Amino acid sequence: MTIRVMLVDDQVLLRTGFRMVLAAQPDMEVVAEAGDGVEALQVLRETAVDVVLMDVRMPKLDGVETTRRICQEANPPKVLILTTFDLDEYAFSGLKAGASGFMLKDVPPGELLAAIRSVHSGDAVVAPSTTRRLLDRFAPMLPSTGKEPQHKELERLTDREREVMVLVAQGLSNGEIAARLVLSEATVKTHVGRILTKLGLRDRVQVVVLAYETGLVRAGGNG
């Protein structure tokens, strides 16, 4: 199955570089490009796309707002935010807007390709530990919630699911959570799936964001 990719970046040279890398892959095809968010939204109305590589700083409409509008559509493509070290706040905003993850623009080609395949398969492309470092840095931007989680949906979780959610937010993989809780990895995966369903979340990136927003996990500390 070919992964249909769209490149959204106002720098033509960067789009050209990404297109060359993707064109060499038998399972990927660049089906569309855009130089700003407005153009991207127009193109997406007419083109079937699986994964969007989204720049954050663009004229007319930035990548964060473009991502938000894309993710509000029915059956939207997955969005992968492209950022640089000094623009992490945009990546954070992009995750909250609905992106499935973020990558640095100077990412090695192999990592970029693996990220696109992961996003396409429904996984988050950012290592949970990386996401947590990002959230630790920008947690002051989140609303103050006090000591107790305020999100009512969290009450739907069992004690075990809540425990798993905290560990996901702390950056542990399914295998690490399984070892910590003395469970099978398959059982952990089931718990994560139930958490996503009960809370109406798309992937574990959103689990991390919600854990911080509700105060279930706090920056620099545990839940």
Side-chain angles (χ1 to χ4, degrees), residues 165 195-203 206-208 210:
M165 183 174 178
I195 291 168
L196 296 177
T197 299
K198 288 183 178 182
L199 301 182
L201 304 176
R202 186 186 58 255
D203 53 39
Q206 292 191 332
V207 171
V208 178
L210 182 60

Side-chain angles (χ1 to χ4, degrees), residues 22-94:
L22 271 57
Q25 304 305 305
D27 61 337
M28 295 184 191
E29 179 185 4
V30 176
V31 296
E33 296 185 31
D36 61 67
V38 173
E39 183 183 2
L41 294 174
Q42 292 173 341
V43 172
L44 282 172
R45 294 189 187 101
E46 304 171 353
T47 308
V49 174
D50 299 312
V51 178
V52 178
L53 296 186
M54 180 74 69
D55 186 23
V56 286
R57 277 193 161 180
M58 297 181 295
K60 297 183 181 179
L61 192 66
D62 66 35
V64 173
E65 180 58 28
T66 304
T67 296
R68 182 176 293 107
R69 296 187 189 186
I70 289 173
C71 293
Q72 288 174 344
E73 297 294 326
N75 300 316
K78 303 292 186 179
V79 178
L80 179 57
I81 293 286
L82 298 174
T83 185
T84 57
F85 279 117
D86 60 336
L87 292 177
D88 276 349
E89 63 269 28
Y90 291 101
F92 173 75
S93 299

Side-chain angles (χ1 to χ4, degrees), residues 6 10 28 57 60 77 79 81 91 98 100 117 129 137 141 148 161 165 167 183 194 208 211 221:
M6 179 178 186
D10 62 334
M28 295 184 191
R57 277 193 161 180
K60 297 183 181 179
V79 178
I81 293 286
S100 294
R117 293 185 180 104
S129 58
R137 179 177 173 187
M141 298 166 57
E148 294 300 322
E161 289 165 354
M165 183 174 178
L167 295 176
L183 300 170
R194 288 174 179 166
V208 178

Side-chain angles (χ1 to χ4, degrees), residues 90-110:
Y90 291 101
F92 173 75
S93 299
L95 294 178
K96 287 177 64 63
S100 294
F102 69 93
M103 300 289 290
L104 299 175
K105 281 193 173 183
D106 60 355
V107 62

